[in-house]
């Protein structure tokens, strides 16, 4: 063996040893067990090419939105009435809107608002719904009846209609839209977490933990919540598409982000008069909403196959 091939052999042996360590049937530590489970889950996820494609599209949209100040060719709010409704060209890849603003620049900046609203909603509703469901499922009795009847009240109304009512009670804007969507999105997570809590509340390991003197709060936070977390993560990934459509719908109806904000739903609303003649103006944000919703649906399907034991 010559000197040039030795580093390649060493790297191959090292990679093989790491793979053997991850796939070992007899892990020697909790860290090895956790990494092995993650590696096996990633292999199952990567085998689903549609889910992997969804992940790539989601990451691409997030990166483009975060890098908007660096890659946007124009100021998204700069108006040029002499170049209004220009067709796609080398100067303006996606054309310009009714005020001469570059559609591509507004699309990139709009992703920061639309995806930011989605992340804010998820950060609010997922922990709240998870906690409400786990408390109701574990405690049962009066607490369960009260919390679930409250959940049923929110589930009785269509999400968009209820969100519109909340925004109308507050005032149109991004903050009001986030609060309204959050208030209407948490019940499914509570229902899902409650179902998981009910399946384990009488399990032997919960009884053993209770015998050690652990209180209800510790049992719920340290043992019930982690068991219900995977189901909620799957539901969140599948609901992201619905949240995007609701946020865009509020913007389209004038209840979300307000002009001149570069939000995808608002961009469609302000350009709907040009849909037949200058089709490129509303088409670009429409395609962005479609791509984001489809990508999150594909990603959610892949995560369900990985995290849901019943789907394995």
């Amino acid at each position: 063996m010559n000197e040039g091939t030795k580093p390649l052999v060493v790297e191959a042996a090292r990679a093989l040893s790491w793979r053997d360590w991850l796939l070992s049937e007899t892990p020697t530590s909790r860290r090895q067990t956790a990494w092995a489970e993650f590696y096996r889950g990633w292999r199952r996820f990567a085998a689903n090419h549609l889910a992997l494609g969804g992940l790539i599209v989601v990451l691409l949209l997030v990166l483009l939105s975060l890098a908007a100040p660096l890659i946007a060719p124009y100021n998204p709010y700069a108006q040029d009435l002499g170049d209004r409704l220009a067709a796609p060209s080398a100067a303006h890849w996606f054309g310009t809107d009714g005020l001469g603003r570059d559609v591509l620049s507004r699309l990139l900046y709009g992703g920061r608002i639309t995806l930011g609203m989605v992340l804010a909603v998820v950060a609010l509703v997922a922990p709240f719904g998870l906690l409400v469901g786990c408390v109701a499922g574990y405690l049962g009795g009066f607490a369960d009846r009260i919390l679930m009847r409250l959940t049923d009240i929110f589930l009785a109304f269509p999400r968009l209609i209820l969100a519109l009512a909340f925004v109308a009670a507050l005032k149109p804007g991004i903050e009001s839209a986030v609060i309204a969507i959050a208030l209407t999105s948490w019940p499914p997570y509570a229902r899902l977490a409650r179902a998981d809590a009910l399946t384990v509340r009488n399990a032997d390991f919960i009884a053993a933990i209770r015998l050690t003197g652990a209180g209800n709060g510790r049992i719920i936070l340290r043992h019930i919540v982690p068991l219900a977390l995977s189901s909620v993560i799957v539901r969140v990934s599948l609901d992201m598409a619905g949240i995007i459509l609701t946020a865009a719908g509020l913007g389209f109806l004038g209840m979300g982000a307000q002009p001149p904000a570069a939000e995808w739903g608002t961009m469609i609303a302000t350009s709907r008069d040009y849909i037949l003649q200058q089709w490129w103006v509303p088409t670009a944000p429409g395609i962005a909403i479609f791509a984001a919703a489809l990508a999150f649906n594909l990603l959610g399907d892949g995560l369900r196959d990985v995290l849901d034991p019943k789907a394995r």
Side-chain angles (χ1 to χ4, degrees):
M1 180 183 301
N2 56 46
E3 294 296 330
T5 58
K6 285 184 178 180
L8 297 178
V9 174
V10 172
E11 289 297 327
R14 185 177 300 171
L16 182 60
S17 63
W18 272 103
R19 187 173 182 276
D20 292 339
W21 182 77
L22 289 172
L23 297 179
S24 174
E25 297 294 337
T26 56
T28 59
S29 65
R30 295 177 62 182
R31 183 171 67 93
Q32 182 180 0
T33 303
W35 277 106
E37 184 65 23
F38 174 81
Y39 179 67
R40 292 188 178 95
W42 168 252
R43 291 181 62 187
R44 291 195 299 270
F45 180 84
N48 187 336
H49 300 301
L50 290 177
L52 189 60
L55 175 62
I56 293 173
V57 173
V58 168
L59 293 178
L60 182 61
L61 290 174
V62 172
L63 290 176
L64 290 176
S65 300
L66 292 177
L70 301 176
I71 63 178
Y74 299 95
N75 185 331
Y77 304 107
Q79 301 181 14
D80 184 5
L81 297 181
D83 198 24
R84 63 188 299 268
L85 299 176
S89 62
H92 302 281
W93 288 7
F94 290 175
T96 61
D97 64 4
L99 296 175
R101 298 171 296 191
D102 183 65
V103 174
L104 175 58
S105 300
R106 291 180 61 77
L107 200 65
L108 293 172
Y109 276 88
R112 297 164 68 93
I113 298 177
T114 303
L115 298 179
M117 291 174 64
V118 172
L119 293 177
V121 170
V122 169
L124 289 173
V125 303
F128 180 75
L130 177 63
L131 185 60
V132 168
C134 290
V135 170
Y138 177 75
L139 295 181
F142 181 75
D144 182 30
R145 289 194 295 271
I146 292 296
L147 292 175
M148 287 302 102
R149 296 301 77 76
L150 180 63
T151 302
D152 291 338
I153 292 174
F154 281 89
L155 286 173
F157 297 93
R159 178 183 296 182
L160 183 58
I161 301 300
L162 193 57
L164 285 172
F166 279 122
V167 173
L170 301 172
K171 67 175 182 177
I174 296 176
E175 296 81 4
S176 300
V178 169
I179 294 174
I181 298 173
L183 288 174
T184 60
S185 299
W186 66 268
Y189 305 122
R191 280 288 187 183
L192 191 61
R194 175 180 178 269
D196 289 338
L198 286 174
T199 60
V200 299
R201 59 178 294 187
N202 295 321
D204 292 340
F205 75 95
I206 294 295
I209 296 168
R210 196 180 296 116
L211 289 175
T212 63
N216 290 334
R218 179 182 176 85
I219 293 175
I220 292 173
L221 293 177
R222 295 291 298 274
H223 302 281
I224 303 295
V225 168
L227 289 173
L229 186 59
S230 61
S231 299
V232 171
I233 291 175
V234 173
R235 182 60 191 248
V236 166
S237 61
L238 291 171
D239 273 359
M240 293 285 257
I243 295 174
I244 288 175
L245 294 176
T246 303
L250 290 176
F252 181 82
L253 296 173
M255 295 293 186
Q258 300 298 300
E263 193 269 331
W264 293 342
T266 305
M267 290 174 64
I268 297 177
T270 56
S271 61
R272 61 178 177 267
D273 293 336
Y274 316 121
I275 193 170
L276 295 180
Q277 289 78 23
Q278 290 80 24
W279 53 266
W280 56 86
V281 184
T283 298
I287 291 176
I289 294 172
F290 169 78
L294 179 61
F296 276 114
N297 273 330
L298 295 176
L299 176 62
D301 287 338
L303 289 177
R304 179 185 58 194
D305 294 341
V306 172
L307 297 177
D308 187 1
K310 297 177 183 178
R312 296 180 187 176

PDB file of all heavy atoms in Angstrom, residues 103-131:
ATOM      1  N   VAL A 103     -40.952  42.220  -8.117  1.00  0.00           N
ATOM      2  CA  VAL A 103     -41.723  41.125  -7.525  1.00  0.00           C
ATOM      3  C   VAL A 103     -40.804  40.119  -6.844  1.00  0.00           C
ATOM      4  O   VAL A 103     -41.123  39.607  -5.759  1.00  0.00           O
ATOM      5  CB  VAL A 103     -42.586  40.431  -8.598  1.00  0.00           C
ATOM      6  CG1 VAL A 103     -43.270  39.201  -8.020  1.00  0.00           C
ATOM      7  CG2 VAL A 103     -43.624  41.399  -9.151  1.00  0.00           C
ATOM      8  N   LEU A 104     -39.651  39.825  -7.426  1.00  0.00           N
ATOM      9  CA  LEU A 104     -38.737  38.862  -6.825  1.00  0.00           C
ATOM     10  C   LEU A 104     -38.248  39.343  -5.461  1.00  0.00           C
ATOM     11  O   LEU A 104     -38.212  38.566  -4.500  1.00  0.00           O
ATOM     12  CB  LEU A 104     -37.546  38.622  -7.752  1.00  0.00           C
ATOM     13  CG  LEU A 104     -36.432  37.731  -7.203  1.00  0.00           C
ATOM     14  CD1 LEU A 104     -36.964  36.352  -6.832  1.00  0.00           C
ATOM     15  CD2 LEU A 104     -35.290  37.605  -8.207  1.00  0.00           C
ATOM     16  N   SER A 105     -37.889  40.609  -5.365  1.00  0.00           N
ATOM     17  CA  SER A 105     -37.430  41.150  -4.083  1.00  0.00           C
ATOM     18  C   SER A 105     -38.535  41.082  -3.037  1.00  0.00           C
ATOM     19  O   SER A 105     -38.300  40.719  -1.877  1.00  0.00           O
ATOM     20  CB  SER A 105     -36.955  42.594  -4.261  1.00  0.00           C
ATOM     21  OG  SER A 105     -35.886  42.674  -5.177  1.00  0.00           O
ATOM     22  N   ARG A 106     -39.741  41.432  -3.437  1.00  0.00           N
ATOM     23  CA  ARG A 106     -40.857  41.366  -2.496  1.00  0.00           C
ATOM     24  C   ARG A 106     -41.177  39.928  -2.114  1.00  0.00           C
ATOM     25  O   ARG A 106     -41.590  39.646  -0.985  1.00  0.00           O
ATOM     26  CB  ARG A 106     -42.090  42.046  -3.109  1.00  0.00           C
ATOM     27  CG  ARG A 106     -41.923  43.553  -3.230  1.00  0.00           C
ATOM     28  CD  ARG A 106     -43.149  44.212  -3.836  1.00  0.00           C
ATOM     29  NE  ARG A 106     -44.352  44.012  -3.049  1.00  0.00           N
ATOM     30  CZ  ARG A 106     -44.639  44.672  -1.926  1.00  0.00           C
ATOM     31  NH1 ARG A 106     -43.790  45.585  -1.453  1.00  0.00           N
ATOM     32  NH2 ARG A 106     -45.765  44.446  -1.282  1.00  0.00           N
ATOM     33  N   LEU A 107     -40.967  39.004  -3.049  1.00  0.00           N
ATOM     34  CA  LEU A 107     -41.208  37.593  -2.757  1.00  0.00           C
ATOM     35  C   LEU A 107     -40.220  37.084  -1.704  1.00  0.00           C
ATOM     36  O   LEU A 107     -40.598  36.361  -0.773  1.00  0.00           O
ATOM     37  CB  LEU A 107     -41.078  36.787  -4.035  1.00  0.00           C
ATOM     38  CG  LEU A 107     -41.733  35.400  -4.064  1.00  0.00           C
ATOM     39  CD1 LEU A 107     -43.238  35.536  -3.954  1.00  0.00           C
ATOM     40  CD2 LEU A 107     -41.368  34.685  -5.354  1.00  0.00           C
ATOM     41  N   LEU A 108     -38.954  37.460  -1.840  1.00  0.00           N
ATOM     42  CA  LEU A 108     -37.942  37.029  -0.880  1.00  0.00           C
ATOM     43  C   LEU A 108     -38.212  37.615   0.498  1.00  0.00           C
ATOM     44  O   LEU A 108     -38.142  36.910   1.517  1.00  0.00           O
ATOM     45  CB  LEU A 108     -36.554  37.431  -1.369  1.00  0.00           C
ATOM     46  CG  LEU A 108     -36.055  36.727  -2.645  1.00  0.00           C
ATOM     47  CD1 LEU A 108     -34.764  37.346  -3.136  1.00  0.00           C
ATOM     48  CD2 LEU A 108     -35.863  35.238  -2.386  1.00  0.00           C
ATOM     49  N   TYR A 109     -38.512  38.903   0.552  1.00  0.00           N
ATOM     50  CA  TYR A 109     -38.814  39.525   1.842  1.00  0.00           C
ATOM     51  C   TYR A 109     -40.153  39.039   2.396  1.00  0.00           C
ATOM     52  O   TYR A 109     -40.333  38.956   3.616  1.00  0.00           O
ATOM     53  CB  TYR A 109     -38.832  41.051   1.701  1.00  0.00           C
ATOM     54  CG  TYR A 109     -37.471  41.680   1.801  1.00  0.00           C
ATOM     55  CD1 TYR A 109     -36.669  41.836   0.687  1.00  0.00           C
ATOM     56  CD2 TYR A 109     -36.973  42.122   3.025  1.00  0.00           C
ATOM     57  CE1 TYR A 109     -35.409  42.418   0.764  1.00  0.00           C
ATOM     58  CE2 TYR A 109     -35.723  42.706   3.124  1.00  0.00           C
ATOM     59  CZ  TYR A 109     -34.944  42.852   1.991  1.00  0.00           C
ATOM     60  OH  TYR A 109     -33.695  43.422   2.088  1.00  0.00           O
ATOM     61  N   GLY A 110     -41.090  38.730   1.491  1.00  0.00           N
ATOM     62  CA  GLY A 110     -42.374  38.221   1.970  1.00  0.00           C
ATOM     63  C   GLY A 110     -42.258  36.883   2.661  1.00  0.00           C
ATOM     64  O   GLY A 110     -43.039  36.563   3.560  1.00  0.00           O
ATOM     65  N   GLY A 111     -41.276  36.074   2.240  1.00  0.00           N
ATOM     66  CA  GLY A 111     -41.054  34.806   2.925  1.00  0.00           C
ATOM     67  C   GLY A 111     -40.680  35.001   4.379  1.00  0.00           C
ATOM     68  O   GLY A 111     -41.038  34.180   5.244  1.00  0.00           O
ATOM     69  N   ARG A 112     -39.964  36.072   4.684  1.00  0.00           N
ATOM     70  CA  ARG A 112     -39.602  36.354   6.083  1.00  0.00           C
ATOM     71  C   ARG A 112     -40.851  36.601   6.918  1.00  0.00           C
ATOM     72  O   ARG A 112     -40.947  36.164   8.072  1.00  0.00           O
ATOM     73  CB  ARG A 112     -38.680  37.567   6.131  1.00  0.00           C
ATOM     74  CG  ARG A 112     -37.352  37.362   5.408  1.00  0.00           C
ATOM     75  CD  ARG A 112     -36.647  38.675   5.153  1.00  0.00           C
ATOM     76  NE  ARG A 112     -36.182  39.304   6.377  1.00  0.00           N
ATOM     77  CZ  ARG A 112     -34.959  39.141   6.891  1.00  0.00           C
ATOM     78  NH1 ARG A 112     -34.081  38.375   6.268  1.00  0.00           N
ATOM     79  NH2 ARG A 112     -34.606  39.746   7.994  1.00  0.00           N
ATOM     80  N   ILE A 113     -41.834  37.287   6.331  1.00  0.00           N
ATOM     81  CA  ILE A 113     -43.060  37.587   7.079  1.00  0.00           C
ATOM     82  C   ILE A 113     -43.951  36.352   7.173  1.00  0.00           C
ATOM     83  O   ILE A 113     -44.394  35.972   8.267  1.00  0.00           O
ATOM     84  CB  ILE A 113     -43.814  38.750   6.409  1.00  0.00           C
ATOM     85  CG1 ILE A 113     -42.963  40.017   6.415  1.00  0.00           C
ATOM     86  CG2 ILE A 113     -45.143  38.989   7.125  1.00  0.00           C
ATOM     87  CD1 ILE A 113     -43.611  41.191   5.706  1.00  0.00           C
ATOM     88  N   THR A 114     -44.211  35.705   6.042  1.00  0.00           N
ATOM     89  CA  THR A 114     -45.126  34.560   6.036  1.00  0.00           C
ATOM     90  C   THR A 114     -44.581  33.407   6.861  1.00  0.00           C
ATOM     91  O   THR A 114     -45.280  32.867   7.737  1.00  0.00           O
ATOM     92  CB  THR A 114     -45.385  34.105   4.591  1.00  0.00           C
ATOM     93  OG1 THR A 114     -45.912  35.181   3.826  1.00  0.00           O
ATOM     94  CG2 THR A 114     -46.364  32.939   4.579  1.00  0.00           C
ATOM     95  N   LEU A 115     -43.335  32.996   6.601  1.00  0.00           N
ATOM     96  CA  LEU A 115     -42.749  31.896   7.367  1.00  0.00           C
ATOM     97  C   LEU A 115     -42.514  32.293   8.819  1.00  0.00           C
ATOM     98  O   LEU A 115     -42.625  31.448   9.718  1.00  0.00           O
ATOM     99  CB  LEU A 115     -41.438  31.455   6.714  1.00  0.00           C
ATOM    100  CG  LEU A 115     -41.563  30.904   5.287  1.00  0.00           C
ATOM    101  CD1 LEU A 115     -40.196  30.516   4.739  1.00  0.00           C
ATOM    102  CD2 LEU A 115     -42.504  29.710   5.240  1.00  0.00           C
ATOM    103  N   GLY A 116     -42.218  33.559   9.070  1.00  0.00           N
ATOM    104  CA  GLY A 116     -42.076  34.018  10.454  1.00  0.00           C
ATOM    105  C   GLY A 116     -43.380  33.919  11.212  1.00  0.00           C
ATOM    106  O   GLY A 116     -43.404  33.538  12.395  1.00  0.00           O
ATOM    107  N   MET A 117     -44.487  34.259  10.540  1.00  0.00           N
ATOM    108  CA  MET A 117     -45.795  34.111  11.181  1.00  0.00           C
ATOM    109  C   MET A 117     -46.081  32.650  11.502  1.00  0.00           C
ATOM    110  O   MET A 117     -46.603  32.322  12.580  1.00  0.00           O
ATOM    111  CB  MET A 117     -46.884  34.673  10.264  1.00  0.00           C
ATOM    112  CG  MET A 117     -46.861  36.176  10.101  1.00  0.00           C
ATOM    113  SD  MET A 117     -48.060  36.758   8.879  1.00  0.00           S
ATOM    114  CE  MET A 117     -49.599  36.276   9.651  1.00  0.00           C
ATOM    115  N   VAL A 118     -45.738  31.759  10.581  1.00  0.00           N
ATOM    116  CA  VAL A 118     -45.971  30.322  10.799  1.00  0.00           C
ATOM    117  C   VAL A 118     -45.160  29.827  11.997  1.00  0.00           C
ATOM    118  O   VAL A 118     -45.683  29.106  12.865  1.00  0.00           O
ATOM    119  CB  VAL A 118     -45.615  29.534   9.530  1.00  0.00           C
ATOM    120  CG1 VAL A 118     -45.676  28.038   9.800  1.00  0.00           C
ATOM    121  CG2 VAL A 118     -46.553  29.899   8.392  1.00  0.00           C
ATOM    122  N   LEU A 119     -43.885  30.205  12.064  1.00  0.00           N
ATOM    123  CA  LEU A 119     -43.051  29.767  13.179  1.00  0.00           C
ATOM    124  C   LEU A 119     -43.543  30.342  14.501  1.00  0.00           C
ATOM    125  O   LEU A 119     -43.509  29.654  15.534  1.00  0.00           O
ATOM    126  CB  LEU A 119     -41.597  30.187  12.930  1.00  0.00           C
ATOM    127  CG  LEU A 119     -40.884  29.494  11.758  1.00  0.00           C
ATOM    128  CD1 LEU A 119     -39.480  30.048  11.582  1.00  0.00           C
ATOM    129  CD2 LEU A 119     -40.820  27.992  11.982  1.00  0.00           C
ATOM    130  N   ALA A 120     -44.015  31.588  14.483  1.00  0.00           N
ATOM    131  CA  ALA A 120     -44.539  32.183  15.709  1.00  0.00           C
ATOM    132  C   ALA A 120     -45.791  31.447  16.181  1.00  0.00           C
ATOM    133  O   ALA A 120     -45.962  31.193  17.389  1.00  0.00           O
ATOM    134  CB  ALA A 120     -44.847  33.665  15.471  1.00  0.00           C
ATOM    135  N   VAL A 121     -46.663  31.092  15.244  1.00  0.00           N
ATOM    136  CA  VAL A 121     -47.879  30.350  15.609  1.00  0.00           C
ATOM    137  C   VAL A 121     -47.523  28.997  16.206  1.00  0.00           C
ATOM    138  O   VAL A 121     -48.069  28.592  17.245  1.00  0.00           O
ATOM    139  CB  VAL A 121     -48.785  30.193  14.376  1.00  0.00           C
ATOM    140  CG1 VAL A 121     -49.920  29.212  14.679  1.00  0.00           C
ATOM    141  CG2 VAL A 121     -49.353  31.532  13.960  1.00  0.00           C
ATOM    142  N   VAL A 122     -46.599  28.285  15.566  1.00  0.00           N
ATOM    143  CA  VAL A 122     -46.206  26.962  16.052  1.00  0.00           C
ATOM    144  C   VAL A 122     -45.581  27.065  17.442  1.00  0.00           C
ATOM    145  O   VAL A 122     -45.844  26.240  18.331  1.00  0.00           O
ATOM    146  CB  VAL A 122     -45.239  26.294  15.060  1.00  0.00           C
ATOM    147  CG1 VAL A 122     -44.612  25.050  15.669  1.00  0.00           C
ATOM    148  CG2 VAL A 122     -45.972  25.942  13.776  1.00  0.00           C
ATOM    149  N   ALA A 123     -44.740  28.083  17.649  1.00  0.00           N
ATOM    150  CA  ALA A 123     -44.096  28.258  18.950  1.00  0.00           C
ATOM    151  C   ALA A 123     -45.111  28.536  20.053  1.00  0.00           C
ATOM    152  O   ALA A 123     -44.862  28.228  21.227  1.00  0.00           O
ATOM    153  CB  ALA A 123     -43.074  29.400  18.879  1.00  0.00           C
ATOM    154  N   LEU A 124     -46.249  29.093  19.685  1.00  0.00           N
ATOM    155  CA  LEU A 124     -47.284  29.384  20.681  1.00  0.00           C
ATOM    156  C   LEU A 124     -48.208  28.188  20.912  1.00  0.00           C
ATOM    157  O   LEU A 124     -48.496  27.831  22.067  1.00  0.00           O
ATOM    158  CB  LEU A 124     -48.117  30.590  20.234  1.00  0.00           C
ATOM    159  CG  LEU A 124     -47.432  31.962  20.271  1.00  0.00           C
ATOM    160  CD1 LEU A 124     -48.327  33.011  19.636  1.00  0.00           C
ATOM    161  CD2 LEU A 124     -47.088  32.359  21.701  1.00  0.00           C
ATOM    162  N   VAL A 125     -48.675  27.562  19.835  1.00  0.00           N
ATOM    163  CA  VAL A 125     -49.742  26.576  19.974  1.00  0.00           C
ATOM    164  C   VAL A 125     -49.234  25.189  20.344  1.00  0.00           C
ATOM    165  O   VAL A 125     -49.920  24.464  21.090  1.00  0.00           O
ATOM    166  CB  VAL A 125     -50.582  26.489  18.684  1.00  0.00           C
ATOM    167  CG1 VAL A 125     -51.158  27.824  18.324  1.00  0.00           C
ATOM    168  CG2 VAL A 125     -49.770  25.931  17.534  1.00  0.00           C
ATOM    169  N   ALA A 126     -48.068  24.792  19.845  1.00  0.00           N
ATOM    170  CA  ALA A 126     -47.608  23.427  20.106  1.00  0.00           C
ATOM    171  C   ALA A 126     -47.356  23.183  21.597  1.00  0.00           C
ATOM    172  O   ALA A 126     -47.875  22.208  22.153  1.00  0.00           O
ATOM    173  CB  ALA A 126     -46.362  23.121  19.273  1.00  0.00           C
ATOM    174  N   PRO A 127     -46.568  24.021  22.291  1.00  0.00           N
ATOM    175  CA  PRO A 127     -46.385  23.771  23.734  1.00  0.00           C
ATOM    176  C   PRO A 127     -47.680  23.884  24.524  1.00  0.00           C
ATOM    177  O   PRO A 127     -47.929  23.091  25.440  1.00  0.00           O
ATOM    178  CB  PRO A 127     -45.374  24.853  24.148  1.00  0.00           C
ATOM    179  CG  PRO A 127     -44.708  25.281  22.888  1.00  0.00           C
ATOM    180  CD  PRO A 127     -45.749  25.157  21.831  1.00  0.00           C
ATOM    181  N   PHE A 128     -48.523  24.868  24.163  1.00  0.00           N
ATOM    182  CA  PHE A 128     -49.775  25.048  24.910  1.00  0.00           C
ATOM    183  C   PHE A 128     -50.702  23.861  24.721  1.00  0.00           C
ATOM    184  O   PHE A 128     -51.241  23.306  25.686  1.00  0.00           O
ATOM    185  CB  PHE A 128     -50.455  26.340  24.461  1.00  0.00           C
ATOM    186  CG  PHE A 128     -51.741  26.619  25.174  1.00  0.00           C
ATOM    187  CD1 PHE A 128     -51.734  27.071  26.481  1.00  0.00           C
ATOM    188  CD2 PHE A 128     -52.964  26.420  24.553  1.00  0.00           C
ATOM    189  CE1 PHE A 128     -52.925  27.331  27.163  1.00  0.00           C
ATOM    190  CE2 PHE A 128     -54.149  26.672  25.208  1.00  0.00           C
ATOM    191  CZ  PHE A 128     -54.124  27.130  26.520  1.00  0.00           C
ATOM    192  N   GLY A 129     -50.924  23.461  23.472  1.00  0.00           N
ATOM    193  CA  GLY A 129     -51.791  22.317  23.221  1.00  0.00           C
ATOM    194  C   GLY A 129     -51.257  21.037  23.816  1.00  0.00           C
ATOM    195  O   GLY A 129     -52.016  20.214  24.356  1.00  0.00           O
ATOM    196  N   LEU A 130     -49.926  20.848  23.738  1.00  0.00           N
ATOM    197  CA  LEU A 130     -49.307  19.654  24.319  1.00  0.00           C
ATOM    198  C   LEU A 130     -49.527  19.611  25.827  1.00  0.00           C
ATOM    199  O   LEU A 130     -49.898  18.561  26.387  1.00  0.00           O
ATOM    200  CB  LEU A 130     -47.812  19.657  24.002  1.00  0.00           C
ATOM    201  CG  LEU A 130     -46.960  18.524  24.587  1.00  0.00           C
ATOM    202  CD1 LEU A 130     -47.405  17.173  24.029  1.00  0.00           C
ATOM    203  CD2 LEU A 130     -45.487  18.757  24.282  1.00  0.00           C
ATOM    204  N   LEU A 131     -49.345  20.731  26.505  1.00  0.00           N
ATOM    205  CA  LEU A 131     -49.503  20.766  27.952  1.00  0.00           C
ATOM    206  C   LEU A 131     -50.959  20.562  28.364  1.00  0.00           C
ATOM    207  O   LEU A 131     -51.251  19.801  29.296  1.00  0.00           O
ATOM    208  CB  LEU A 131     -48.980  22.097  28.492  1.00  0.00           C
ATOM    209  CG  LEU A 131     -48.960  22.249  30.016  1.00  0.00           C
ATOM    210  CD1 LEU A 131     -48.072  21.188  30.648  1.00  0.00           C
ATOM    211  CD2 LEU A 131     -48.480  23.639  30.413  1.00  0.00           C
TER     212      LEU A 131
END
